Amino acid sequence: MSTLDLFDHGIPAEKHFGYTQAIRSGELIHVSGQLAFDDAGDFGPDGDIAAQLARTYVNLDKVLAHFGVTRNQIVSQTLYVVDLVRNAEVVAEANRAFFGSHRPVSTVLGVTELTFPGQAIEISCVVDTRLPA
């Protein structure tokens, strides 16, 4: 039996909600919804979708670095966006900037609210380690 490779940011929400940020299962890495929190676990800035996207992608990069993989190995992503109609172009622009020429499968869902007050974005993904970095 092999041990699981897990990653946590070390924020209180992980223990409070009982989850891990990412888990490697064979050649796949399943990444929980990444949020816009800082190194101290503080969430913010409230409602600022562009700033939250930037922080969320920083947190996603930390997960990828733990497993030694890159953005080019992300095969699918799901984005949960508050007020999607108003924020769609900002999300699309940030997504293109994050991935460059790589284009994973993507599902974008408009939601009325997310876990934390002021939270505007959450991004989960699946990574295939067999793909070239």
Side-chain angles (χ1 to χ4, degrees):
M1 180 173 170
S2 64
T3 59
L4 294 175
D5 189 3
L6 307 173
F7 175 79
D8 288 319
H9 288 292
I11 60 171
E14 293 161 347
K15 287 186 181 177
H16 178 77
F17 288 102
Y19 74 99
T20 190
Q21 295 291 336
I23 185 169
R24 183 178 183 143
S25 175
E27 301 301 324
L28 298 178
I29 301 164
H30 300 270
V31 182
S32 292
Q34 295 299 290
L35 314 177
F37 54 82
D38 62 19
D39 289 338
D42 296 324
F43 181 80
D46 285 0
D48 183 340
I49 188 80
Q52 285 189 27
L53 278 161
R55 273 186 161 178
T56 300
Y57 284 131
V58 165
N59 290 332
L60 180 53
D61 278 339
K62 289 178 186 177
V63 175
L64 299 175
H66 168 82
F67 292 100
V69 295
T70 72
R71 300 168 182 181
N72 291 335
Q73 292 167 290
I74 294 175
V75 292
S76 69
Q77 67 172 344
T78 303
L79 295 87
Y80 303 89
V81 183
V82 173
D83 200 359
L84 179 58
V85 171
R86 187 182 62 158
N87 292 314
E89 191 51 42
V90 174
V91 171
E93 183 179 314
N95 190 67
R96 288 190 307 266
F98 182 75
F99 284 108
S101 63
H102 178 61
R103 293 175 44 207
V105 193
S106 183
T107 300
V108 181
L109 302 166
V111 297
T112 55
E113 63 182 356
L114 290 162
T115 305
F116 297 100
Q119 182 183 356
I121 187 78
E122 187 163 332
I123 303 172
S124 64
C125 65
V126 176
V127 179
D128 189 334
T129 62
R130 295 169 292 194
L131 295 176

